[in-house]
Amino acid sequence: MIFLPTSSESIKQAAEILRNGGLVAFPTETVYGLGADAFNSQALAKVFEAKNRPHFNPLIIHIASIDTLEKVADLSLLSEERRQKLFLITDKLWPGPLSLILPKNEKIPGIATAGLPTAAIRFCDHDAAQKLISLSTGAVAAPSANPFGSLSPTRAEHVRDKLGEKVDMILDGGPARIGIESTVLDITNETIKILRPGGTPKEAIEKLIGHITDSSTTTENTVTKIISPGQLKSHYAPKTPLGVLSQKEIINQPYDVDNAFLFFDSATRDAWIKLQKPDKTAVVRVLSETGMALEAASRLFETLHDLDNCKVSKIFTQLAPQEGLGEAINDRLKRGSS
Ligand code: TXA
Ligand code: MG
């Protein structure tokens, strides 16, 4: 791990790491973020792994210019009235401690938003962060740079102590100016709502767009709500019924033209092929040829979407080994099947 103060040189180096799929912790005005290229699903999977989150939880996508907004969001899905409100807000409150929930651009991989059709997007008010983001692909997904369940880091040393070697580089920009996470505002729903109170006060938003609802009282509220089964299921579960099987069970699952088969690794697929002798038209996918949970996690949401379009009546899928990111994969598969 490289630990350097923010300078033109270190920021260039950090941007290079991001472009190559690595992880960089960087300062923002709120808290330190654990950044990965928002367009690279394997890099995004590393974020979940480094934080040791037991479940996937959608990340905030950081941009460094308003022109980049359309690269990460699909504003055509917003009504004219909503677009006007959006620009009233961004004109006055961006850059700043405010994340906006918007329909996501299809180029953003599903793992960034945990399968949701929306993404949290933020233009942060921090010079070094903005330089870093501009020199990368222009969009950096970053949750707070702390392990799951521990406090958000407001100093580079916090990140070093808690995440250390799990990060390729930590940029030290001194203590965070605000020290509390951004406000998360959902403007995609019928009623505009604060999902997480934070660095931008409700009043500052109301001054621009009138009364808004505060749906959350604590920071963790949003998180619990989003990963609660009811909340995510409708967004996440494939339309096709999903049958979740152990490795042994899927190997013994008879082939049927009307079913799709999703394997965790190619060894299990090969064992199944040997036993069930499917024909050439069989719909078969593998999450990771070599059985790497990181790669499997990065492909999970996309593969389920893809299978959903294959017009089969059921998808049989194999659970991942219940360790590391395998836990998060299995959590999502089980939710999708219930
Ligand atoms: O200040 C901040 O927001 C910091 C810095 C690094 O930018 N980031 C941060 O990220 O706090 P994180 O991952 O710790 O919190 C992201 C919050 C979570 O509550 C998550 O559930 C919510 O944003 N969120 C992300 N995407 C969402 C979506 N599509 N819909 C609703 N909530 C979303
Ligand atoms: Mg956090």
Side-chain angles (χ1 to χ4, degrees), residues 198-261:
T200 299
K202 184 180 175 186
E203 294 72 22
I205 306 166
E206 288 189 321
K207 229 167 103 179
L208 303 171
I209 58 163
H211 178 73
I212 49 173
T213 316
D214 188 349
S215 79
S216 149
T217 44
T218 70
T219 312
E220 289 314 306
N221 229 346
T222 325
V223 176
T224 352
K225 252 178 47 198
I226 280 173
I227 62 175
S228 75
Q231 181 89 1
L232 245 187
K233 208 186 145 225
S234 57
H235 294 297
Y236 169 66
K239 292 190 280 302
T240 318
L242 187 65
V244 175
L245 304 175
S246 68
Q247 184 188 39
K248 197 168 156 213
E249 285 167 340
I250 200 162
I251 292 174
N252 288 302
Q253 182 64 41
Y255 169 62
D256 182 323
V257 276
D258 208 25
N259 296 157
F261 293 82

Side-chain angles (χ1 to χ4, degrees), residues 14-60:
E16 189 64 26
I17 292 174
L18 288 176
R19 286 181 166 279
N20 290 326
L23 299 186
V24 173
F26 62 96
T28 79
E29 80 279 34
T30 57
V31 300
Y32 276 73
L34 177 61
D37 177 5
F39 300 110
N40 179 339
S41 58
Q42 285 222 31
L44 295 167
K46 287 187 199 164
V47 172
F48 291 98
E49 186 175 68
K51 278 187 67 98
N52 203 10
R53 287 208 199 192
H55 310 286
F56 296 122
N57 186 28
L59 308 173
I60 294 176

Side-chain angles (χ1 to χ4, degrees), residues 21-330:
L23 299 186
V24 173
F26 62 96
T28 79
E29 80 279 34
T30 57
V31 300
Y32 276 73
L34 177 61
D37 177 5
F39 300 110
N40 179 339
S41 58
Q42 285 222 31
L44 295 167
K46 287 187 199 164
V47 172
F48 291 98
E49 186 175 68
K51 278 187 67 98
N52 203 10
R53 287 208 199 192
H55 310 286
F56 296 122
N57 186 28
L59 308 173
I60 294 176
I61 296 168
H62 296 68
I63 56 174
S65 86
I66 197 83
D67 299 335
T68 324
L69 184 57
E70 305 240 24
K71 272 174 84 180
V72 293
D74 186 349
L75 301 186
S76 72
L77 296 173
L78 287 180
S79 66
E80 186 48 39
E81 181 250 338
R82 276 310 150 90
R83 262 202 300 272
Q84 278 177 13
K85 283 199 165 141
L86 167 68
F87 290 122
L88 279 178
I89 295 170
T90 56
D91 261 6
K92 290 274 187 278
L93 298 175
W94 269 8
L98 176 66
S99 299
L100 297 171
I101 308 293
L102 292 167
K104 85 173 186 76
N105 185 300
E106 59 180 19
K107 292 209 184 73
I108 298 294
I111 187 170
T113 63
L116 291 168
T118 55
I121 296 160
R122 174 157 116 81
F123 181 174
C124 68
D125 186 16
H126 191 285
D127 281 350
Q130 288 177 6
K131 277 189 200 124
L132 173 67
I133 296 160
S134 317
L135 290 174
S136 74
T137 59
V140 175
S144 48
N146 53 292
F148 174 76
S150 85
L151 290 173
S152 284
T154 55
R155 289 173 177 273
E157 291 81 4
H158 297 160
V159 186
R160 182 175 59 194
D161 295 347
K162 295 270 174 62
L163 293 177
E165 294 307 320
K166 293 181 175 155
V167 188
D168 296 305
M169 182 166 181
I170 299 173
L171 283 175
D172 181 3
R177 182 161 60 78
I178 294 179
I180 180 175
E181 294 97 336
S182 63
T183 300
V184 179
L185 183 73
D186 187 352
I187 64 168
T188 59
N189 265 314
E190 200 128 314
T191 45
I192 295 186
K193 266 189 199 159
I194 290 184
L195 300 182
R196 176 178 79 178
T200 299
K202 184 180 175 186
E203 294 72 22
I205 306 166
E206 288 189 321
K207 229 167 103 179
L208 303 171
I209 58 163
H211 178 73
I212 49 173
T213 316
D214 188 349
S215 79
S216 149
T217 44
T218 70
T219 312
E220 289 314 306
N221 229 346
T222 325
V223 176
T224 352
K225 252 178 47 198
I226 280 173
I227 62 175
S228 75
Q231 181 89 1
L232 245 187
K233 208 186 145 225
S234 57
H235 294 297
Y236 169 66
K239 292 190 280 302
T240 318
L242 187 65
V244 175
L245 304 175
S246 68
Q247 184 188 39
K248 197 168 156 213
E249 285 167 340
I250 200 162
I251 292 174
N252 288 302
Q253 182 64 41
Y255 169 62
D256 182 323
V257 276
D258 208 25
N259 296 157
F261 293 82
L262 174 58
F263 295 93
F264 177 70
D265 57 319
S266 57
T268 312
R269 174 201 56 202
D270 295 346
W272 175 79
I273 288 175
K274 210 169 149 197
L275 200 65
Q276 307 300 343
K277 304 187 171 51
D279 60 44
K280 283 210 175 67
T281 61
V283 181
V284 176
R285 300 281 188 282
V286 175
L287 285 177
S288 167
E289 290 288 326
T290 55
M292 274 173 49
L294 180 75
E295 184 186 22
S298 77
R299 300 192 53 220
L300 179 66
F301 294 109
E302 261 70 27
T303 309
L304 286 174
H305 275 296
D306 166 38
L307 289 177
D308 232 0
N309 293 326
C310 284
K311 299 200 166 56
V312 290
S313 62
K314 185 152 183 159
I315 301 166
F316 284 106
T317 181
Q318 174 194 355
L319 286 169
Q322 184 74 11
E323 58 191 23
L325 280 184
E327 229 180 287
I329 294 171
N330 292 345

